């Protein structure tokens, strides 16, 4: 099946001034996406901006694909202008996916990283200890939806407007300190900004934890051709769009 397809906009719901939920109906058969995979999306046939942008699959139901996105620059702004019936160019599903959890797991989301992890939470309901942090209450998008399908949730904001005031990695550290060592093998899945993931690498260092992180590097082609998304790992340079976006945190060399 071709990964290149056109899709019709079903709706493009504004959740607040920063976030939108885009629901698309592909116009041809598509491969079924797995949690952690992503799509390159471009609004219409316009060449401004020229490049498609990467977005994690947020939800997949029957013949519909949903994406949760934060408006940042030109690409996401043009996505935000899509109306019901508009046609969009897409490529996907791309990249690898989160390894399937067998039993309980930890999901660590920073900001819009929740877009990638919610698909995993939905596939394994009430199995996740959710750690979700953001700058403030407004940035904790889809909080109630995420909590509703998690076993237990821990929330932080930088300004204390929701949950505990502080960093989500500190909350995770406290959780680890409260657990008997036998509980450590719970696998951990994380998606969020690089500083959070770098901090996470310190939290899990020396612990016997399987920890998978989904990286949100800048991308150009999205299909492995341009080397625009390479990262350093213990086994050389890897393309986030092709060998990732999900990596074992212990293989990444943080710079
Ligand atoms: C695999 C993958 C999955 C992603 N999934 C989602 C998702 O589900 N929802 C979502 O909202 N975003 C997601 N992103 C990030 C999204 O691709 C960028 O926000 C988007 O490309 C910005 O495009 P733009 O033209 O609007 O902004 P630009 O004009 O390109 O950039 C505007 C500002 O945003 C910053 N920025 C751009 N790209 C990124 C990035 N990848 N990470 C951090 N900062 C960035 C730029 O440095 C600049 O400051 C994902 C990225 C990757 C690689
Ligand atoms: S974005 Fe081109 S190789 Fe990854």
């Amino acid at each position: 099946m071709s990964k290149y397809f056109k899709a019709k906009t079903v709706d493009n719901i504004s959740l607040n001034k920063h976030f939108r939920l885009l629901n698309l109906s592909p116009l041809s058969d598509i491969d079924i996406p797995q949690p952690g995979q992503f799509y390159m999306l471009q609004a219409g046939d316009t060449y401004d901006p020229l490049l498609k942008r990467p977005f994690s699959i947020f939800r997949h139901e029957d013949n519909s694909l949903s994406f949760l996105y934060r408006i940042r620059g030109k690409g996401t702004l043009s996505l935000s202008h899509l109306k019901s019936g508009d046609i969009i160019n897409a490529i996907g599903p791309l990249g690898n996916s989160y390894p399937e959890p067998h039993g309980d797991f930890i999901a660590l989301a920073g900001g819009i990283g929740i877009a990638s992890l919610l698909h995993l939470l939905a596939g394994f309901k009430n199995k996740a200890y959710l750690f979700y942090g953001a700058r403030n209450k407004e940035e904790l998008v889809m909080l109630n939806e995420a909590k509703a399908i998690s076993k237990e949730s821990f929330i932080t904001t930088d300004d204390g407007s929701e949950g505990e005031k502080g960093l989500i990695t500190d909350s995770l550290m406290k959780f680890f300190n409260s657990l008997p060592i036998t509980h450590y093998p719970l696998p951990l899945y994380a998606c969020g900004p690089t500083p959070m993931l770098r901090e996470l690498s310190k939290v899990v260092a020396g612990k016997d934890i399987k920890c998978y992180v989904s990286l949100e590097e800048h991308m150009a082609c999205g299909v492995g051709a341009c080397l625009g998304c390479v990262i350093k790992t213990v086994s050389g340079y890897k393309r986030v769009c092709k060998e990732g976006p999900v990596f074992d945190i212990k293989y990444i060399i943080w710079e």
Side-chain angles (χ1 to χ4, degrees):
M1 232 173 280
S2 172
K3 289 196 180 293
Y4 292 76
F5 61 94
K6 286 185 185 289
K8 192 153 89 173
T9 306
V10 178
D11 48 30
N12 193 7
I13 303 160
S14 173
L15 303 174
N16 64 36
K17 71 175 181 216
H18 301 301
F19 295 96
R20 284 182 175 246
L21 182 63
L22 175 65
N23 294 308
L24 300 176
S25 173
L27 299 180
S28 50
D29 288 342
I30 54 158
D31 290 330
I32 294 174
Q34 301 303 319
Q37 287 193 296
F38 70 97
Y39 289 76
M40 297 297 287
L41 301 181
Q42 183 180 25
D45 290 319
T46 162
Y47 287 94
D48 180 26
L50 180 66
L51 299 172
K52 294 183 172 68
R53 301 289 193 253
F55 298 94
S56 306
I57 180 67
F58 172 72
R59 191 184 295 137
H60 170 250
E61 274 168 1
D62 302 325
N63 197 35
S64 84
L65 299 172
S66 304
F67 299 91
L68 177 67
Y69 65 98
R70 190 186 200 289
I71 302 170
R72 284 187 188 279
K74 259 189 170 181
T76 43
L77 190 64
S78 71
L79 270 193
S80 76
H81 295 145
L82 285 172
K83 299 182 297 302
S84 301
D86 287 348
I87 303 296
I88 179 167
N89 292 308
I91 316 175
L94 297 170
N96 63 359
S97 54
Y98 294 114
E100 197 173 302
H102 300 283
D104 291 348
F105 63 98
I106 296 170
L108 177 77
I112 191 63
I114 196 69
S116 160
L117 287 167
L118 241 156
H119 197 192
L120 186 71
L121 298 182
F124 299 90
K125 287 201 178 88
N126 303 319
K127 295 282 179 199
Y129 291 90
L130 171 71
F131 288 78
Y132 185 10
R135 266 177 279 170
N136 54 50
K137 190 176 177 168
E138 219 184 9
E139 302 275 333
L140 283 169
V141 67
M142 294 281 169
L143 175 61
N144 291 336
E145 290 77 356
K147 277 170 133 179
I149 53 176
S150 299
K151 190 181 177 94
E152 209 175 326
S153 40
F154 303 83
I155 309 302
T156 62
T157 46
D158 296 355
D159 65 359
S161 52
E162 181 82 36
E164 258 190 52
K165 185 174 176 166
L167 298 177
I168 197 62
T169 41
D170 290 343
S171 176
L172 179 68
M173 192 67 177
K174 271 193 230 159
F175 177 74
F176 281 145
N177 290 340
S178 72
L179 283 181
I181 199 96
T182 45
H183 280 54
Y184 270 2
L186 280 187
L188 201 160
Y189 300 80
C191 186
T194 305
M196 181 194 89
L197 299 180
R198 193 183 288 115
E199 205 47 44
L200 175 64
S201 72
K202 295 177 196 158
V203 173
V204 298
K207 295 188 177 71
D208 183 22
I209 299 171
K210 267 282 169 209
C211 178
Y212 305 101
V213 291
S214 180
L215 302 181
E216 298 202 337
E217 279 301 305
H218 294 252
M219 286 184 183
C221 72
V223 293
C226 73
L227 305 184
C229 63
V230 289
I231 54 148
K232 232 183 191 176
T233 72
V234 291
S235 46
Y237 286 100
K238 300 284 175 201
R239 297 161 298 180
V240 173
C241 68
K242 203 70 184 171
E243 285 84 32
V246 180
F247 292 89
D248 185 323
I249 201 165
K250 296 201 170 104
Y251 291 121
I252 299 172
I253 298 175
W254 300 95
E255 300 192 300

